[in-house]
Amino acid sequence: MAILKAEVPDSAVVHLIKALRNYWFLIIPAALLLRFLYYKYSSPLRKYPGPFLASGSRAWKVWSTYNGHTETDHILLHELHGPIVRIAPNELSLSSPHAAREVLAAGKGFHKTAFYGVFPPPENPDIFTETREAVHAVKKRYASNPYSMATMHQMASYIEDTERMLADKFDVMCESRDGYCNLGNYLHYYAFDVLGEIAFSRKFGFLEAGYDLEKAIKTIDDMQWYDGIIGQIPEWDFAFRRNPLWKYVPALSTSNFLITRMAVEEMEKRKKVGRKELERKDLLSELFAAHEKAPEQFREGDVFAVAHGAIFAGSDSTASTMQSFCWSVLRDQAIYTKLKQEIDEASASGKLSEYPQWSEVQALPYFQACLKEAMRLRPAVGLNITRLVPAEGTEIDGVRFPGGTVLALNGWVLHRDTSIFGNDPKVYRPERWFEGDAKNMERFMFQFGGGSHLCIGKNLALLEMNKTLPLLFRDYEFELLRPEEDLKYHSTFFVVQEGLEVRISKRSKSG
Ligand code: HEM
């Protein structure tokens, strides 16, 4: 006897699964298109111009960061679309320096975005990566004394010790047949070794080796590149670096990374011998002192995170600024000659010590103008710094922005504003600092950020550059090997530059 099977109709869920299986190639693009259109048109930001791709997805900014030229992309965007450009469904880039001051001003409620949370270490954020404003304020308060100019001046001799080593290296190159010097690389090694001395009382050894030891600098650049890209889509970090499986891929493990290894060794040493037994002060010992004063508010983990983070935040940035300075000055003979003249005159009249001192260099107006102009035209941070509009929304320059909107600021864009910096903002011209309203221009310089997130390493970076650059230009003659070529660079978070190669020779003491 035949068994009759009752026909049970498929449920709606089964229908859906079958449809997905059979028509996924149509359904997925259609869903993505709908999502794109929803983001494009449902947002109150739909009235702002910008790249088409950016209006409905974050793909445009991921692509721009991946390509390594966020800064030039944004300059072009603003030239094309004006002062407010939509660069993602919920994100606007602003080109007005006045607006930037408002956004960065302390106490206005614009918090850092999730972009920063991607930068390591997630388990114990440092001052740069901490996005909880209240927690950030506490950490910064305890770390500010170790970074103060007074503390930095006490450590100036370690900078001089590293200067001596750099000069020894350059002296050898001057004696070589072709006088070849990769000035860009050596400034990079120098900036790292200075930070090693300042943070841990030890050079990392880049200068001595004369190459990128254990590819540590390259690794940092690659890591920052990852942070920059994934920072645009922060939730994706959970699929990659925050994925628990990540640590089982040996090639991706950073625990044996040169900089981290040294930081851990120094940390252990200090814990064993105690801070008071140490022969000299450094950033780590000063941060330990802050921890001892307030062990609950500034924990041991914070000491490590802040000292370790300093290397990441402070080396590429300072190196990049010194490279921009050298390249900009050396490619213009008139500027180069004028700068040497000022330095030589100060030297001849005994106003510049063997290792130039901060106060002496403040009295070199042309040098100061050259440095400011380098930081204006090629600020070391190439990606946008981003802030969230407070929940209640805000009004800036007469424009209302809804709460939760991400506002993006890029130093390369802001520093090309003609109303502040004059009609030729794309030209490297130190003279502008004597012609225009220099005080006003300074108010609108963002190379160190601003407000409550102003760069904590600004004093160290300025001290280092003010001591080192005049020394180099006093004692050595540099000739660019390819003066007609632009310096190659790409932005990870910082602007990583390549190709600053020169012929070097020793200058006579009389100039
Ligand atoms: C010429 C060199 C430098 C430049 C151009 C520079 C630039 C900047 C900028 C633009 C910011 C703000 C980022 C933002 O708001 O998103 C920043 C923050 C920071 N920088 Fe620097 N920096 C330099 C050197 C240093 C050094 C030497 C250190 C440490 C030794 C350092 C440590 C930091 C830290 C910890 C922050 C986070 C501050 C906060 O959020 O409160 N930087 N820097």
Side-chain angles (χ1 to χ4, degrees):
M1 198 178 76
I3 300 169
L4 287 179
K5 263 202 207 157
E7 279 284 318
V8 181
D10 285 345
S11 71
V13 176
V14 173
H15 272 302
L16 190 68
I17 293 170
K18 279 186 180 166
L20 273 175
R21 197 184 55 199
N22 296 335
Y23 299 107
W24 62 268
F25 52 92
L26 293 177
I27 292 170
I28 293 176
L32 288 175
L33 181 66
L34 277 176
R35 185 173 177 265
F36 183 92
L37 294 173
Y38 173 75
Y39 282 142
K40 180 171 170 60
Y41 293 111
S42 68
S43 161
L45 306 184
R46 61 185 171 270
K47 62 183 178 211
Y48 292 108
F52 176 75
L53 192 58
S55 62
S57 81
R58 291 173 294 175
W60 182 85
K61 56 180 195 147
V62 170
W63 181 244
S64 169
T65 319
Y66 171 80
N67 279 330
H69 280 292
T70 300
E71 70 308 310
T72 35
D73 288 346
H74 279 70
I75 292 171
L76 288 175
L77 275 189
H78 284 286
E79 282 175 357
L80 203 63
H81 298 294
I84 307 179
V85 180
R86 191 178 184 196
I87 54 168
N90 190 34
E91 186 165 344
L92 298 172
S93 169
L94 309 182
S95 70
S96 154
H98 293 275
R101 270 182 71 87
E102 283 281 304
V103 173
L104 294 178
K108 295 260 170 131
F110 292 86
H111 291 186
K112 277 187 169 178
T113 60
F115 165 79
Y116 296 88
V118 169
F119 288 71
E123 63 287 357
N124 197 343
D126 69 8
I127 291 169
F128 178 73
T129 58
E130 181 59 75
T131 52
R132 296 161 298 175
E133 283 298 304
V135 182
H136 167 268
V138 173
K139 289 186 189 181
K140 196 157 187 178
R141 191 166 70 241
Y142 287 103
S144 60
N145 190 43
Y147 277 104
S148 69
M149 197 47 129
T151 311
M152 290 305 145
H153 276 301
Q154 289 168 16
M155 299 188 201
S157 61
Y158 313 140
I159 300 182
E160 288 170 10
D161 189 53
T162 319
E163 281 176 330
R164 199 169 298 125
M165 193 161 201
L166 178 66
D168 287 348
K169 286 281 172 179
F170 283 176
D171 287 348
V172 173
M173 292 176 205
C174 291
E175 295 300 315
S176 73
R177 213 156 47 88
D178 58 1
Y180 173 80
C181 168
N182 191 324
L183 180 59
N185 281 358
Y186 270 86
L187 289 173
H188 221 144
Y189 305 152
Y190 171 76
F192 266 91
D193 276 349
V194 166
L195 265 175
E197 283 282 350
I198 296 283
F200 308 124
S201 295
R202 295 163 62 169
K203 293 185 184 62
F204 292 114
F206 292 109
L207 270 182
E208 192 180 1
Y211 63 89
D212 181 7
L213 275 178
E214 300 182 21
K215 295 213 168 110
I217 299 180
K218 168 89 173 60
T219 308
I220 289 188
D221 292 343
D222 292 347
M223 280 157 73
Q224 304 265 28
W225 191 42
Y226 168 90
D227 298 333
I229 297 168
I230 299 299
Q232 311 303 326
I233 39 172
E235 64 280 11
W236 281 64
D237 200 26
F238 289 96
F240 301 111
R241 203 164 45 205
R242 291 201 198 188
N243 184 328
L245 298 175
W246 186 266
K247 60 174 176 286
Y248 297 111
V249 184
L252 300 174
S253 165
T254 51
S255 58
N256 200 31
F257 177 53
L258 175 75
I259 311 281
T260 309
R261 216 169 58 222
M262 264 181 60
V264 171
E265 274 170 25
E266 283 302 320
M267 191 82 185
E268 292 305 318
K269 193 165 100 192
R270 313 294 162 106
K271 280 200 276 184
K272 248 187 239 147
V273 300
R275 189 174 64 84
K276 298 206 174 60
E277 315 294 311
L278 293 172
E279 285 155 32
R280 62 181 243 199
K281 262 190 189 179
D282 58 19
L283 185 62
L284 193 59
S285 67
E286 291 299 285
L287 290 168
F288 258 119
H291 164 64
E292 279 166 19
K293 267 193 219 141
E296 289 308 314
Q297 291 91 336
F298 194 69
R299 290 166 301 132
E300 195 175 289
D302 295 326
V303 172
F304 181 78
V306 172
H308 187 242
I311 312 298
F312 287 77
S315 40
D316 274 349
S317 51
T318 312
S320 182
T321 307
M322 291 195 290
Q323 289 163 348
S324 291
F325 174 96
C326 292
W327 183 72
S328 309
V329 168
L330 293 177
R331 75 193 308 235
D332 187 316
Q333 275 310 316
I335 295 175
Y336 185 27
T337 308
K338 202 166 163 182
L339 178 65
K340 281 188 292 187
Q341 206 175 341
E342 181 182 73
I343 293 175
D344 291 347
E345 277 169 21
S347 251
S349 55
K351 290 182 185 151
L352 207 57
S353 310
E354 184 188 2
Y355 291 98
Q357 300 299 304
W358 170 260
S359 56
E360 298 168 342
V361 180
Q362 298 318 296
L364 300 179
Y366 198 68
F367 169 79
Q368 294 302 337
C370 289
L371 184 56
K372 278 182 211 153
E373 188 66 350
M375 294 193 285
R376 181 189 71 77
L377 200 62
R378 299 171 76 88
V381 173
L383 293 200
N384 298 334
I385 59 179
T386 49
R387 298 290 187 269
L388 272 180
V389 173
E392 64 279 14
T394 194
E395 192 173 311
I396 303 172
D397 283 352
V399 180
R400 184 94 209 140
F401 296 101
T405 304
V406 175
L407 297 180
L409 306 165
N410 190 299
W412 285 61
V413 173
L414 301 169
H415 293 175
R416 280 163 172 73
D417 184 282
T418 48
S419 70
I420 309 281
F421 297 102
N423 290 329
D424 58 351
K426 290 187 178 174
V427 183
Y428 181 82
R429 208 169 55 77
E431 284 68 23
R432 83 178 68 246
W433 291 91
F434 303 104
E435 298 159 358
D437 182 349
K439 272 221 166 75
N440 196 43
M441 293 200 288
E442 293 234 28
R443 282 184 69 223
F444 293 104
M445 290 277 283
F446 298 96
Q447 73 279 16
F448 290 112
S452 60
H453 290 283
L454 182 72
C455 173
I456 200 169
K458 179 181 169 191
N459 293 328
L460 169 58
L462 285 177
L463 180 65
E464 182 178 341
M465 295 189 295
N466 273 272
K467 286 180 70 59
T468 309
L469 294 168
L471 179 143
L472 295 183
F473 279 76
R474 181 193 61 196
D475 293 351
Y476 301 95
E477 192 71 46
F478 302 105
E479 184 195 337
L480 286 176
L481 288 191
R482 293 177 297 280
E484 66 296 339
E485 268 180 37
D486 277 353
L487 206 53
K488 288 192 203 78
Y489 69 93
H490 62 275
S491 296
T492 53
F493 177 69
F494 296 115
V495 176
V496 178
Q497 322 213 52
E498 260 172 77
L500 178 59
E501 291 165 78
V502 298
R503 209 175 310 286
I504 187 171
S505 54
K506 196 107 179 133
R507 296 187 71 207
S508 65
K509 285 284 173 208
S510 58

